[in-house]
Amino acid sequence: MNLIYDIWTEVEYKEYLNYLKTFANKEYSSFQSTLMPKAKRILGIKMPILRKIANEILKGNWRSFIVMCSNTYYEETTVKGLIIGMCNVSFLEYTHMIETFSMSVRNWVTCDTFCTGLKGIKNYPYEFWIYLETLLKSKHPWQIRMGVVIILNHYLNEEYINQIFLRLDDVRQDNYYVKMAIAWLISTAYQKYPGITYGYLTNCKLETWTYNKSLEKILELRDVPNDQKSLILSLKKEKKRPQLK
């Protein structure tokens, strides 16, 4: 199917949906449903195909496509996210599209796939780092997870490592997927910067569940020596028990 248009109308978009459905795979859809139990209408299209489709749409009027794009199927949302991630636009337009897209995120797979593919961040690394405060201080848990996963994929380096920990201490959210993302980020940070990360863990403001989950994820790393694992294990915090009156 031709995916390069000067303008997308309902006619072209309907043809596009029918084209997407030709790649549907029931077995893969069932597998994805186990990863995203709350997601609805998964066609089961593998990522290389979706990336190829997104790249083709980008050759035409992709803005027109995004206006027409709905979120009926998981794959529709994914293709839209891939296009946003790869487009070359101004900083303000980029962040506007990211915030708009964040409202359609309903599961961790969509969230993490989108964040990993945000290639435009490299064009505005400093400005985007400042912008991340908007996501991390949001009241919407998926926006907060987006902020954490973006840091993991695009800012986990020597220049930002200490600033990352300062930001994590300010995150206040009891959502499971946010807390898991933080634990994932901390364990990955330990893998790259064990000394700095250990220092943070000895004096951080994380709530107990996220803190202990971070330690657990570190202990699961294969390349962490046993002597270091013993130190990490010794940091585990016990949950405070309510006092009897």
Side-chain angles (χ1 to χ4, degrees), residues 2-240:
N2 174 40
L3 296 171
I4 305 172
Y5 290 106
D6 292 329
I7 187 74
W8 283 79
T9 68
E10 290 183 5
V11 174
E12 286 79 21
Y13 196 78
K14 185 176 181 180
E15 292 177 354
Y16 161 71
L17 283 183
N18 290 332
Y19 177 66
L20 270 186
K21 292 174 184 177
T22 65
F23 298 102
N25 183 310
K26 289 185 178 180
E27 184 177 343
Y28 190 58
S29 174
S30 297
F31 167 71
Q32 287 187 301
S33 296
T34 64
L35 301 177
M36 302 175 283
K38 294 184 179 181
K40 298 179 180 179
R41 298 198 178 187
I42 302 173
L43 294 172
I45 304 174
K46 295 187 177 181
M47 190 57 66
I49 296 173
L50 297 178
R51 291 188 191 281
K52 184 176 180 180
I53 289 172
N55 276 310
E56 280 298 296
I57 294 172
L58 271 167
K59 296 175 183 178
N61 188 343
W62 56 267
R63 288 184 177 87
S64 174
F65 171 83
I66 287 179
V67 170
M68 293 299 304
C69 193
S70 65
N71 298 298
T72 303
Y73 295 97
Y74 158 75
E75 287 78 7
E76 285 181 274
T77 306
T78 301
V79 169
K80 179 167 60 176
L82 291 171
I83 290 171
I84 292 171
M86 294 186 288
C87 69
N88 186 14
V89 296
S90 70
F91 173 71
L92 289 178
E93 184 176 5
Y94 203 56
T95 53
H96 173 71
M97 287 192 295
I98 288 170
E99 287 191 38
T100 302
F101 182 84
S102 70
M103 294 294 100
S104 64
V105 176
R106 296 291 182 272
N107 61 79
W108 70 269
V109 178
T110 298
C111 174
D112 296 4
T113 299
F114 177 65
C115 295
T116 302
L118 288 173
K119 301 185 184 303
I121 290 177
K122 65 183 179 182
N123 297 325
Y124 317 98
Y126 177 73
E127 294 88 345
F128 204 91
W129 174 254
I130 296 174
Y131 163 77
L132 280 174
E133 281 288 308
T134 302
L135 298 178
L136 294 174
K137 291 185 176 181
S138 171
K139 295 181 180 180
H140 302 285
W142 289 117
Q143 286 189 331
I144 301 174
R145 179 172 173 114
M146 281 175 59
V148 176
V149 177
I150 287 171
I151 288 173
L152 171 64
N153 283 279
H154 302 280
Y155 288 96
L156 192 51
N157 54 50
E158 291 184 5
E159 182 178 358
Y160 288 97
I161 184 64
N162 289 307
Q163 297 178 63
I164 287 171
F165 291 139
L166 291 174
R167 288 202 167 177
L168 289 184
D169 272 346
D170 289 335
V171 175
R172 293 292 179 266
Q173 176 57 238
D174 196 41
N175 179 274
Y176 171 80
Y177 291 100
V178 171
K179 295 193 291 186
M180 284 298 293
I182 293 173
W184 179 25
L185 171 55
I186 291 174
S187 65
T188 306
Y190 186 88
Q191 201 167 24
K192 295 184 69 175
Y193 308 103
I196 297 174
T197 307
Y198 180 83
Y200 167 70
L201 289 169
T202 60
N203 187 32
C204 68
K205 299 176 182 178
L206 295 175
E207 48 82 29
T208 302
W209 190 94
T210 305
Y211 182 85
N212 285 339
K213 180 59 67 172
S214 301
L215 301 183
E216 181 183 316
K217 301 297 286 184
I218 293 172
L219 293 172
E220 291 174 357
L221 297 173
R222 294 182 179 180
D223 54 351
V224 176
N226 288 333
D227 59 336
Q228 289 186 29
K229 287 187 176 183
S230 296
L231 286 173
I232 293 297
L233 190 58
S234 69
L235 294 176
K236 184 176 180 180
K237 295 180 179 179
E238 297 296 330
K239 291 183 179 180
K240 293 182 179 180

